[in-house]
Amino acid sequence: MFRRIREDIQCVFERDPAARNVWEVITCYPGFHALQLHRLSHAVWQLKLRWMARFMSHIARFLTGIEIHPGAVIGRRVFIDHGMGVVIGETAEIGDDCTLYHGVTLGGVSWDKGKRHPTLGRGVVVGAGAKILGPFIVGEGAKVGSNSVVVKPVPAGATVVGIPARIVEAGPGHAEVGRMAFDAYAVSADLDDPLNKVLVALGSRTEDIDGRLAEILQRLQDLEKDPNVGDLRRKAG
Protein backbone atom coordinates (compact mmCIF):
# COMPACT_ATOMS: atom_id res chain seq x y z
CA MET A 1 0.00 0.00 0.00
CA PHE A 2 2.68 2.51 1.02
CA ARG A 3 4.73 1.56 -2.03
CA ARG A 4 1.83 2.51 -4.31
CA ILE A 5 1.39 5.81 -2.48
CA ARG A 6 5.09 6.57 -3.00
CA GLU A 7 4.67 5.75 -6.70
CA ASP A 8 1.69 8.11 -6.94
CA ILE A 9 3.70 10.92 -5.34
CA GLN A 10 6.70 10.33 -7.58
CA CYS A 11 4.62 10.37 -10.77
CA VAL A 12 3.30 13.81 -9.80
CA PHE A 13 6.85 15.16 -9.71
CA GLU A 14 7.56 13.53 -13.09
CA ARG A 15 4.53 15.07 -14.83
CA ASP A 16 3.87 18.37 -13.07
CA PRO A 17 6.68 20.94 -12.81
CA ALA A 18 4.55 22.93 -10.33
CA ALA A 19 5.02 20.25 -7.65
CA ARG A 20 7.66 21.45 -5.18
CA ASN A 21 7.74 18.92 -2.36
CA VAL A 22 6.06 15.80 -1.00
CA TRP A 23 4.01 17.69 1.59
CA GLU A 24 2.52 19.89 -1.12
CA VAL A 25 1.52 16.84 -3.17
CA ILE A 26 -0.05 15.08 -0.17
CA THR A 27 -2.04 18.09 0.94
CA CYS A 28 -2.80 20.10 -2.21
CA TYR A 29 -3.37 17.67 -5.10
CA PRO A 30 -7.03 16.57 -5.46
CA GLY A 31 -6.11 13.97 -8.08
CA PHE A 32 -3.83 12.28 -5.58
CA HIS A 33 -6.57 12.39 -2.94
CA ALA A 34 -9.19 10.99 -5.34
CA LEU A 35 -7.02 8.01 -6.24
CA GLN A 36 -6.29 7.12 -2.62
CA LEU A 37 -9.97 7.34 -1.72
CA HIS A 38 -10.87 5.27 -4.79
CA ARG A 39 -8.60 2.47 -3.65
CA LEU A 40 -10.58 2.30 -0.41
CA SER A 41 -13.99 2.45 -2.07
CA HIS A 42 -12.92 -0.10 -4.71
CA ALA A 43 -11.84 -2.53 -1.98
CA VAL A 44 -15.22 -2.10 -0.28
CA TRP A 45 -16.96 -2.59 -3.65
CA GLN A 46 -15.15 -5.91 -4.11
CA LEU A 47 -16.49 -6.99 -0.71
CA LYS A 48 -20.01 -6.57 -2.19
CA LEU A 49 -20.75 -3.65 0.16
CA ARG A 50 -22.07 -1.67 -2.78
CA TRP A 51 -23.95 1.11 -0.99
CA MET A 52 -21.03 1.81 1.32
CA ALA A 53 -18.62 1.92 -1.63
CA ARG A 54 -20.87 4.30 -3.56
CA PHE A 55 -21.24 6.55 -0.53
CA MET A 56 -17.47 6.66 -0.08
CA SER A 57 -17.02 7.65 -3.74
CA HIS A 58 -19.70 10.29 -3.29
CA ILE A 59 -17.76 11.80 -0.39
CA ALA A 60 -14.58 11.69 -2.50
CA ARG A 61 -16.35 13.58 -5.29
CA PHE A 62 -17.55 16.20 -2.79
CA LEU A 63 -14.00 16.69 -1.51
CA THR A 64 -12.09 16.61 -4.83
CA GLY A 65 -14.50 17.38 -7.68
CA ILE A 66 -13.50 14.05 -9.24
CA GLU A 67 -16.11 11.31 -9.68
CA ILE A 68 -14.75 7.77 -9.88
CA HIS A 69 -17.18 4.89 -9.66
CA PRO A 70 -15.93 2.35 -7.10
CA GLY A 71 -16.25 -0.41 -9.69
CA ALA A 72 -13.70 1.20 -12.02
CA VAL A 73 -10.29 -0.48 -12.26
CA ILE A 74 -7.29 1.87 -12.06
CA GLY A 75 -3.67 0.84 -12.48
CA ARG A 76 -0.47 2.10 -10.91
CA ARG A 77 1.11 5.54 -11.24
CA VAL A 78 -2.02 7.10 -12.72
CA PHE A 79 -1.99 10.90 -12.51
CA ILE A 80 -5.13 13.06 -12.54
CA ASP A 81 -3.92 16.65 -12.93
CA HIS A 82 -6.19 19.49 -11.69
CA GLY A 83 -9.02 16.96 -11.82
CA MET A 84 -12.15 19.09 -11.49
CA GLY A 85 -14.99 17.58 -13.49
CA VAL A 86 -13.34 14.22 -14.23
CA VAL A 87 -15.89 11.38 -14.47
CA ILE A 88 -14.84 7.72 -14.64
CA GLY A 89 -17.60 5.15 -15.15
CA GLU A 90 -18.23 1.82 -13.45
CA THR A 91 -16.71 -0.50 -16.07
CA ALA A 92 -13.86 1.80 -17.09
CA GLU A 93 -10.34 0.41 -16.89
CA ILE A 94 -7.24 2.61 -16.75
CA GLY A 95 -3.82 1.10 -17.32
CA ASP A 96 -0.56 1.93 -15.57
CA ASP A 97 1.11 5.32 -16.11
CA CYS A 98 -1.94 7.03 -17.64
CA THR A 99 -2.58 10.78 -17.27
CA LEU A 100 -5.97 12.47 -17.23
CA TYR A 101 -6.56 16.22 -17.12
CA HIS A 102 -9.57 18.16 -15.86
CA GLY A 103 -12.96 17.68 -17.48
CA VAL A 104 -12.20 14.22 -18.86
CA THR A 105 -15.08 11.75 -19.13
CA LEU A 106 -14.71 7.99 -19.51
CA GLY A 107 -18.36 7.29 -20.17
CA GLY A 108 -20.79 4.87 -21.77
CA VAL A 109 -23.31 5.19 -24.58
CA SER A 110 -25.77 2.46 -23.57
CA TRP A 111 -27.71 1.23 -20.56
CA ASP A 112 -26.34 -2.31 -20.83
CA LYS A 113 -25.34 -3.89 -17.54
CA GLY A 114 -22.11 -5.29 -18.96
CA LYS A 115 -18.96 -3.57 -20.20
CA ARG A 116 -19.97 -0.09 -21.41
CA HIS A 117 -17.02 2.16 -20.59
CA PRO A 118 -13.60 2.46 -22.28
CA THR A 119 -10.34 0.74 -21.45
CA LEU A 120 -7.16 2.83 -21.53
CA GLY A 121 -3.91 1.03 -22.21
CA ARG A 122 -0.66 1.81 -20.46
CA GLY A 123 0.70 5.33 -20.81
CA VAL A 124 -2.36 6.96 -22.38
CA VAL A 125 -2.61 10.77 -22.05
CA VAL A 126 -6.09 12.34 -22.20
CA GLY A 127 -6.20 16.12 -22.64
CA ALA A 128 -8.52 18.49 -20.78
CA GLY A 129 -12.21 18.22 -21.61
CA ALA A 130 -11.88 15.10 -23.75
CA LYS A 131 -14.71 12.55 -23.78
CA ILE A 132 -14.07 8.86 -24.44
CA LEU A 133 -17.42 7.13 -24.83
CA GLY A 134 -18.03 3.41 -25.30
CA PRO A 135 -16.66 -0.05 -24.47
CA PHE A 136 -13.56 0.01 -26.66
CA ILE A 137 -9.80 0.13 -26.18
CA VAL A 138 -7.52 3.16 -26.40
CA GLY A 139 -4.16 1.60 -27.20
CA GLU A 140 -0.97 1.92 -25.20
CA GLY A 141 0.80 5.25 -25.45
CA ALA A 142 -2.08 6.90 -27.33
CA LYS A 143 -2.84 10.62 -26.90
CA VAL A 144 -6.31 12.17 -26.95
CA GLY A 145 -6.30 15.90 -27.67
CA SER A 146 -8.18 18.37 -25.48
CA ASN A 147 -11.96 18.59 -26.04
CA SER A 148 -11.95 15.63 -28.42
CA VAL A 149 -14.83 13.15 -28.48
CA VAL A 150 -13.63 9.58 -29.03
CA VAL A 151 -16.27 7.03 -30.04
CA LYS A 152 -14.17 4.24 -31.56
CA PRO A 153 -10.93 2.38 -30.78
CA VAL A 154 -7.62 4.23 -30.94
CA PRO A 155 -4.49 2.39 -32.12
CA ALA A 156 -1.47 2.15 -29.84
CA GLY A 157 0.70 5.26 -29.93
CA ALA A 158 -1.70 7.27 -32.11
CA THR A 159 -2.79 10.87 -31.50
CA VAL A 160 -6.46 11.71 -32.06
CA VAL A 161 -8.24 15.08 -32.09
CA GLY A 162 -11.58 16.54 -33.08
CA ILE A 163 -15.31 15.78 -32.84
CA PRO A 164 -15.55 12.94 -33.58
CA ALA A 165 -11.88 12.26 -32.96
CA ARG A 166 -9.67 11.49 -35.96
CA ILE A 167 -6.13 10.19 -36.10
CA VAL A 168 -3.64 12.98 -36.84
CA GLU A 169 -0.50 11.03 -35.98
CA ALA A 170 -0.10 7.31 -36.49
CA GLY A 171 1.55 5.56 -33.60
CA PRO A 172 4.63 3.35 -33.53
CA GLY A 173 4.36 -0.41 -33.32
CA HIS A 174 3.60 -2.12 -30.02
CA ALA A 175 7.26 -2.93 -29.59
CA GLU A 176 8.12 0.78 -29.43
CA VAL A 177 5.35 1.90 -27.09
CA GLY A 178 7.43 1.20 -23.99
CA ARG A 179 9.83 4.05 -24.79
CA MET A 180 7.24 6.75 -25.48
CA ALA A 181 7.73 10.14 -23.84
CA PHE A 182 5.18 11.99 -21.73
CA ASP A 183 3.26 14.72 -23.55
CA ALA A 184 1.41 17.19 -21.34
CA TYR A 185 -2.23 17.71 -22.38
CA ALA A 186 -1.64 15.21 -25.22
CA VAL A 187 0.14 17.96 -27.19
CA SER A 188 2.29 16.74 -30.07
CA ALA A 189 3.98 18.20 -33.12
CA ASP A 190 0.75 18.58 -35.07
CA LEU A 191 -2.68 18.56 -33.43
CA ASP A 192 -4.59 20.30 -36.21
CA ASP A 193 -7.94 18.67 -37.00
CA PRO A 194 -7.86 16.96 -40.44
CA LEU A 195 -11.23 18.53 -41.32
CA ASN A 196 -9.84 21.94 -40.43
CA LYS A 197 -6.89 21.31 -42.76
CA VAL A 198 -9.28 20.53 -45.62
CA LEU A 199 -11.31 23.68 -44.97
CA VAL A 200 -8.17 25.81 -44.86
CA ALA A 201 -7.00 24.27 -48.15
CA LEU A 202 -10.38 24.96 -49.77
CA GLY A 203 -10.27 28.54 -48.51
CA SER A 204 -6.82 29.05 -50.00
CA ARG A 205 -7.98 27.58 -53.31
CA THR A 206 -11.00 29.87 -53.35
CA GLU A 207 -8.82 32.91 -52.73
CA ASP A 208 -6.58 31.84 -55.64
CA ILE A 209 -9.57 31.49 -57.99
CA ASP A 210 -10.94 34.87 -56.88
CA GLY A 211 -7.57 36.43 -57.63
CA ARG A 212 -7.46 34.90 -61.13
CA LEU A 213 -11.01 36.08 -61.89
CA ALA A 214 -10.14 39.61 -60.76
CA GLU A 215 -7.10 39.54 -63.04
CA ILE A 216 -9.21 38.38 -66.04
CA LEU A 217 -11.82 41.10 -65.40
CA GLN A 218 -9.10 43.74 -65.20
CA ARG A 219 -7.64 42.61 -68.52
CA LEU A 220 -11.08 42.77 -70.16
CA GLN A 221 -11.56 46.30 -68.86
CA ASP A 222 -8.15 47.28 -70.21
CA LEU A 223 -9.09 45.86 -73.62
CA GLU A 224 -12.32 47.89 -73.61
CA LYS A 225 -10.26 51.04 -73.17
CA ASP A 226 -7.76 50.17 -75.93
CA PRO A 227 -8.47 52.38 -79.03
CA ASN A 228 -7.16 49.70 -81.36
CA VAL A 229 -9.81 47.30 -80.10
CA GLY A 230 -12.48 49.96 -80.72
CA ASP A 231 -11.27 50.43 -84.34
CA LEU A 232 -11.39 46.70 -84.96
CA ARG A 233 -14.96 46.54 -83.67
CA ARG A 234 -16.06 49.40 -85.94
CA LYS A 235 -14.46 47.76 -88.95
CA ALA A 236 -16.04 44.43 -88.06
CA GLY A 237 -19.45 46.14 -87.73
Side-chain angles (χ1 to χ4, degrees):
M1 176 180 176
F2 290 106
R3 179 182 178 183
R4 297 194 66 173
I5 292 175
R6 286 196 297 270
E7 287 180 345
D8 290 340
I9 294 172
Q10 182 59 37
C11 80
V12 174
F13 287 114
E14 292 172 355
R15 302 177 214 174
D16 185 4
R20 293 174 176 80
N21 54 64
V22 172
W23 180 245
E24 182 180 25
V25 173
I26 292 174
T27 57
C28 301
Y29 275 72
F32 173 79
H33 303 152
L35 289 172
Q36 309 316 311
L37 293 170
H38 171 72
R39 290 206 184 104
L40 295 175
S41 65
H42 183 67
V44 173
W45 180 266
Q46 291 182 312
L47 295 174
K48 308 298 182 183
L49 300 173
R50 300 298 166 82
W51 178 87
M52 180 61 70
R54 288 299 301 272
F55 185 72
M56 292 172 66
S57 68
H58 180 69
I59 296 299
R61 184 184 71 160
F62 177 78
L63 295 173
T64 66
I66 299 169
E67 180 177 341
I68 307 176
H69 193 286
V73 177
I74 299 180
R76 304 171 78 105
R77 299 174 299 280
V78 171
F79 178 40
I80 302 177
D81 198 5
H82 305 295
M84 182 62 70
V86 167
V87 177
I88 300 173
E90 177 185 5
T91 61
E93 300 175 53
I94 302 177
D96 297 343
D97 303 303
C98 288
T99 301
L100 279 63
Y101 288 91
H102 48 284
V104 167
T105 298
L106 304 184
V109 293
S110 74
W111 292 343
D112 295 339
K113 293 293 186 181
K115 174 71 171 172
R116 59 189 185 279
H117 300 97
T119 296
L120 307 188
R122 179 171 61 88
V124 171
V125 180
V126 186
K131 317 300 178 188
I132 305 177
L133 309 174
F136 52 81
I137 296 175
V138 178
E140 294 185 358
K143 298 184 285 292
V144 179
S146 297
N147 297 316
S148 300
V149 178
V150 185
V151 293
K152 60 183 180 181
V154 178
T159 299
V160 296
V161 301
I163 303 175
R166 306 169 185 83
I167 296 175
V168 294
E169 285 186 5
H174 286 275
E176 298 182 29
V177 169
R179 60 184 181 85
M180 63 91 190
F182 173 68
D183 291 296
Y185 288 92
V187 171
S188 62
D190 182 8
L191 278 182
D192 199 6
D193 192 319
L195 179 58
N196 185 57
K197 289 182 177 179
V198 172
L199 293 175
V200 170
L202 287 174
S204 299
R205 183 62 176 168
T206 301
E207 290 177 1
D208 182 57
I209 293 173
D210 289 344
R212 296 295 298 275
L213 286 174
E215 182 181 352
I216 292 171
L217 289 173
Q218 184 61 48
R219 289 186 178 182
L220 288 173
Q221 290 174 0
D222 292 342
L223 286 173
E224 290 288 344
K225 298 175 182 178
D226 191 333
N228 295 326
V229 173
D231 293 341
L232 288 174
R233 283 183 176 178
R234 284 192 293 271
K235 290 178 181 179

